[in-house]
Amino acid sequence: MKIINKLNNPLLNIVREFKSILNKTSTQKQSHPFWVMVQKETADHVRSWRFIILLILIAFTCFGTLYNSMSHLNEALSNSKDPNNMFAFLKLLTATDGSLPSYYVFIGFLGPLLGISLGFDAINSEHNNGSLVRVISQPIHRDYIINSKFTSALIIISTLFFTLSFLFVGFGILVSGLTPSFSEFLRIIAFTLLSILYVAFWLNLSILFSIKFRQAATSALTSIAVWLFFTIFYQILINIVAKAFIPSKGANMAQIFNYKKFFMGIMNISPNQLFTDASTTLLIPSIRSLGPLSFSQTQGAIPSALSLRDSLIIVWPQLTGLIAATVLCFALSYYLFMKREIRA
């Protein structure tokens, strides 16, 4: 009778029903077509040789910059007048002797290559081998395809950069003996999110070219050409034009101020410049402005470190610029893909 009563216990029945509902919900979530496609795309990226090679390259360069900054940490902290001395742990990400760039400079250089490698053949390769037609013929929403491409790549990028940041912090604590303060840790997290946003822009741009061009080699070369233009040639062109319009020696301070402000605004069109300005401000708290300052603004200013909130206010235009460029590239990719006629 005890066994029968135990089997017929209403509380046990309620628990069984609750467990069955949870199992059904988790099964339905796991078997949703969109997440199935995301898992498949994520597995394809992780198993590809190009991702493994880029992962090894980024990891070696990051730990190389850590060793370089550790070698010159005492020299960087020896200046007692430096307002950034209270943020000693951030010196690991910014200190360098010139032989190797600092950590955030390497991320700004190698990050676009990671985004381009994950997206340059997202659509055209599947179109060329015929798998895109077979996927679209299934009873799924068409936008699941491009959304899964972006989501899977973004998951990989986010996981990679957060892992690198935490490993960087962990090795920095073990080797240097320094412990990051809460403010320093928040700045590192903010820089990590900025890096993910920056790489997401190049990911969306490469996906856009993979939709626009039929051949994967064409989309890859176009993406790399845009990256090289903004990384190298754009600044050279702006400097040439700026020298042609430089004010005369008799120009007043207002003309010189407007001249510098205008050309610095043109420089901020480049996503590389937006990332460099934002990352520098987040990792070097003593930076108080990213543009030219008038004499009245600098008069009486005391060199000191800013809070994270003030640094975020300074870089807010750069952040909104990167967000807008990323959303624009994704919107164009979405529109072109939904309007594209796909045939075998």
Side-chain angles (χ1 to χ4, degrees):
M1 291 296 294
K2 291 183 179 180
I3 297 175
I4 295 175
N5 291 334
K6 186 176 181 181
L7 292 175
N8 294 329
N9 192 335
L11 292 176
L12 292 177
N13 293 332
I14 293 173
V15 172
R16 292 193 193 98
E17 290 293 331
F18 182 70
K19 288 182 178 179
S20 64
I21 292 173
L22 289 178
N23 291 331
K24 289 180 181 179
T25 304
S26 61
T27 304
Q28 290 175 357
K29 184 177 179 180
Q30 291 176 359
S31 61
H32 192 279
F34 175 73
W35 292 111
V36 171
M37 297 173 69
V38 170
Q39 292 174 5
K40 183 260 181 186
E41 294 293 336
T42 304
D44 290 343
H45 284 311
V46 172
R47 294 168 184 169
S48 63
W49 276 106
R50 60 187 175 190
F51 174 76
I52 296 173
I53 293 172
L54 276 173
L55 175 63
I56 295 173
L57 180 62
I58 292 175
F60 271 109
T61 53
C62 289
F63 288 108
T65 56
L66 175 62
Y67 175 78
N68 185 41
S69 60
M70 282 297 307
S71 303
H72 302 276
L73 184 62
N74 293 330
E75 182 180 351
L77 296 175
S78 60
N79 186 6
S80 59
K81 296 182 179 180
D82 187 2
N84 296 309
N85 274 343
M86 61 187 337
F87 298 92
F89 199 85
L90 292 180
K91 294 285 187 180
L92 296 177
L93 283 78
T94 58
T96 179
D97 62 344
S99 59
L100 280 177
S102 56
Y103 174 71
Y104 73 93
V105 175
F106 263 124
I107 294 298
F109 182 78
L110 295 177
L113 292 179
L114 176 63
I116 291 172
S117 67
L118 293 177
F120 76 92
D121 61 345
I123 301 298
N124 47 24
S125 62
E126 293 199 12
H127 194 182
N128 293 333
N129 60 28
S131 60
L132 186 60
V133 178
R134 293 194 295 270
V135 173
I136 289 180
S137 64
Q138 303 299 318
I140 60 173
H141 296 289
R142 183 169 180 170
D143 59 343
Y144 282 180
I145 299 174
I146 187 170
N147 289 339
S148 64
K149 299 283 187 183
F150 173 72
T151 304
S152 61
L154 188 62
I155 290 173
I156 292 175
I157 293 169
S158 302
T159 304
L160 173 61
F161 278 103
F162 271 108
T163 303
L164 284 177
S165 297
F166 290 141
L167 286 176
F168 202 95
V169 172
F171 277 102
I173 294 174
L174 291 175
V175 177
S176 66
L178 298 173
T179 302
S181 63
F182 184 69
S183 177
E184 289 177 311
F185 182 75
L186 289 180
R187 285 181 179 273
I188 294 174
I189 295 298
F191 169 72
T192 305
L193 294 175
L194 173 65
S195 303
I196 294 171
L197 175 62
Y198 177 60
V199 178
F201 163 75
W202 292 103
L203 169 66
N204 281 326
L205 184 67
S206 60
I207 292 177
L208 175 62
F209 289 143
S210 74
I211 299 172
K212 182 66 177 177
F213 301 109
R214 185 67 179 266
Q215 300 298 325
T218 306
S219 61
L221 289 175
T222 308
S223 302
I224 293 175
V226 174
W227 168 63
L228 287 176
F229 172 76
F230 282 115
T231 304
I232 301 175
F233 301 107
Y234 184 76
Q235 186 174 2
I236 296 175
L237 291 175
I238 295 301
N239 290 333
I240 293 174
V241 176
K243 289 181 180 179
F245 291 93
I246 190 169
S248 60
K249 294 182 179 180
N252 55 34
M253 293 298 297
Q255 291 176 337
I256 297 175
F257 179 80
N258 292 330
Y259 164 81
K260 292 183 178 179
K261 186 176 181 180
F262 174 75
F263 280 100
M264 289 192 70
I266 296 178
M267 281 293 297
N268 286 332
I269 296 176
S270 170
N272 306 67
Q273 188 66 34
L274 294 176
F275 173 77
T276 301
D277 290 343
S279 57
T280 303
T281 306
L282 290 175
L283 297 178
I284 305 178
S286 62
I287 295 180
R288 309 181 69 87
S289 175
L290 293 174
L293 296 175
S294 61
F295 179 75
S296 59
Q297 292 174 319
T298 57
Q299 188 177 13
I302 300 174
S304 60
L306 298 180
S307 63
L308 177 60
R309 178 178 176 274
D310 293 333
S311 296
L312 289 175
I313 292 175
I314 293 176
V315 303
W316 185 246
Q318 283 72 21
L319 293 177
T320 53
L322 282 175
I323 293 172
T326 305
V327 172
L328 178 61
C329 289
F330 181 78
L332 289 175
S333 303
Y334 189 92
Y335 174 78
L336 292 176
F337 181 75
M338 296 301 290
K339 294 293 183 181
R340 184 173 180 175
E341 181 180 1
I342 298 176
R343 293 180 296 178

